[in-house]
Amino acid sequence: VGAETSTHSLYMGRDKVENEDLIKWGIPEDIWFHVDKMSSAHVYLRVARGQTMDDITEEELEDCAQLVKANSILGNKESNVSVVYTPWSNLKKLARMEVGQVGFHDLKLVKKCKVDKRKNDIVNRLNKTKSELYPDLAMERDQYDKDNRDEKKAIYREEEKVRLEEERVRGADKEARSYDRIMNEDTMVSNKDMAKKYASFEEAEDDFM
């Protein structure tokens, strides 16, 4: 589900247990949303590879904020509710925390937005376009990591190919310059020049030795 013009996807756990799975098996492109200082659903907006939460549109931000507010028992009843959002990688889960509870590694990466009131047209649209799925989140994360590794290997192979070709060109150029120096007429000595310098072949040979 998502904004009508969005190419991104929204995920929401049905309960605390599913929230734990989403916390554990998220990916770097997931942006986490929650009503601030209240119990609410955990909503994730998954952006495209290479994008960040700075790439979220105003429409997507409002969709996510409305969704977490609508799925908060207390927040749904109140006006001027604050919603916090941050990259999945900024979520901190400690062993002593309760199920579904999280903290943050860096508060500077946590943003807030205000929801004045519930907008039923947005909430109804999101509810109508939602799909109930039961994905294997661990398997999806493994596949994501594998795709990342394969992409990095491909980039490395291409960079190595370019490096070797540049090295080959530099070597060929160096060899050509070295040959040019050897064959430089200014440094070459002819038999005529040798005859002018030495009276005999024996004298030239002795000088060479």
Side-chain angles (χ1 to χ4, degrees), residues 15-21 23 34 39-40 42 93-102:
D15 52 37
K16 290 182 178 181
V17 176
E18 283 197 350
N19 286 339
E20 280 293 303
D21 288 339
I23 293 168
H34 196 275
S39 176
S40 78
H42 291 220
K93 182 69 180 182
L94 303 176
R96 59 178 172 77
M97 290 180 172
E98 296 180 5
V99 176
Q101 183 182 6
V102 295

Side-chain angles (χ1 to χ4, degrees), residues 26-52:
I27 65 172
E29 285 78 18
D30 287 341
I31 311 300
W32 175 87
F33 288 79
H34 196 275
V35 174
D36 191 26
K37 299 176 182 177
M38 295 183 191
S39 176
S40 78
H42 291 220
V43 169
Y44 292 81
L45 176 67
R46 181 164 293 180
V47 298
R49 186 183 292 266
Q51 290 186 323
T52 68

Side-chain angles (χ1 to χ4, degrees), residues 31-32 53-54 84-91 104-112:
I31 311 300
W32 175 87
M53 68 178 175
D54 293 330
V84 293
Y85 59 104
T86 194
W88 165 82
S89 57
N90 192 40
L91 298 180
F104 306 113
H105 293 290
D106 186 354
L107 289 175
K108 293 179 182 178
L109 294 177
V110 181
K111 294 188 175 183
K112 287 187 179 184

Side-chain angles (χ1 to χ4, degrees), residues 48-137:
R49 186 183 292 266
Q51 290 186 323
T52 68
M53 68 178 175
D54 293 330
D55 296 299
I56 299 174
T57 66
E58 289 297 323
E59 292 80 8
E60 290 171 334
L61 182 59
E62 186 172 31
D63 275 8
C64 294
Q66 284 289 334
L67 193 58
V68 290
K69 173 179 167 57
N71 286 275
S72 170
I73 295 175
L74 183 59
N76 190 43
K77 301 173 183 177
E78 295 193 6
S79 299
N80 296 318
V81 172
S82 291
V83 171
V84 293
Y85 59 104
T86 194
W88 165 82
S89 57
N90 192 40
L91 298 180
K92 180 171 65 176
K93 182 69 180 182
L94 303 176
R96 59 178 172 77
M97 290 180 172
E98 296 180 5
V99 176
Q101 183 182 6
V102 295
F104 306 113
H105 293 290
D106 186 354
L107 289 175
K108 293 179 182 178
L109 294 177
V110 181
K111 294 188 175 183
K112 287 187 179 184
C113 64
K114 280 283 187 181
V115 182
D116 295 332
K117 62 180 181 178
R118 172 176 169 140
K119 294 185 178 180
N120 287 323
D121 57 331
I122 294 178
V123 176
N124 291 339
R125 169 170 54 80
L126 294 173
N127 286 331
K128 287 178 181 178
T129 57
K130 74 178 181 181
S131 299
E132 290 217 11
L133 303 175
Y134 304 89
D136 187 331
L137 297 175

Side-chain angles (χ1 to χ4, degrees), residues 123-156:
V123 176
N124 291 339
R125 169 170 54 80
L126 294 173
N127 286 331
K128 287 178 181 178
T129 57
K130 74 178 181 181
S131 299
E132 290 217 11
L133 303 175
Y134 304 89
D136 187 331
L137 297 175
M139 185 178 70
E140 287 187 357
R141 175 57 189 268
D142 286 344
Q143 185 62 48
Y144 174 88
D145 290 340
K146 180 181 181 301
D147 291 343
N148 259 354
R149 290 193 299 270
D150 291 344
E151 182 179 342
K152 288 178 180 178
K153 287 178 183 177
I155 293 173
Y156 171 78

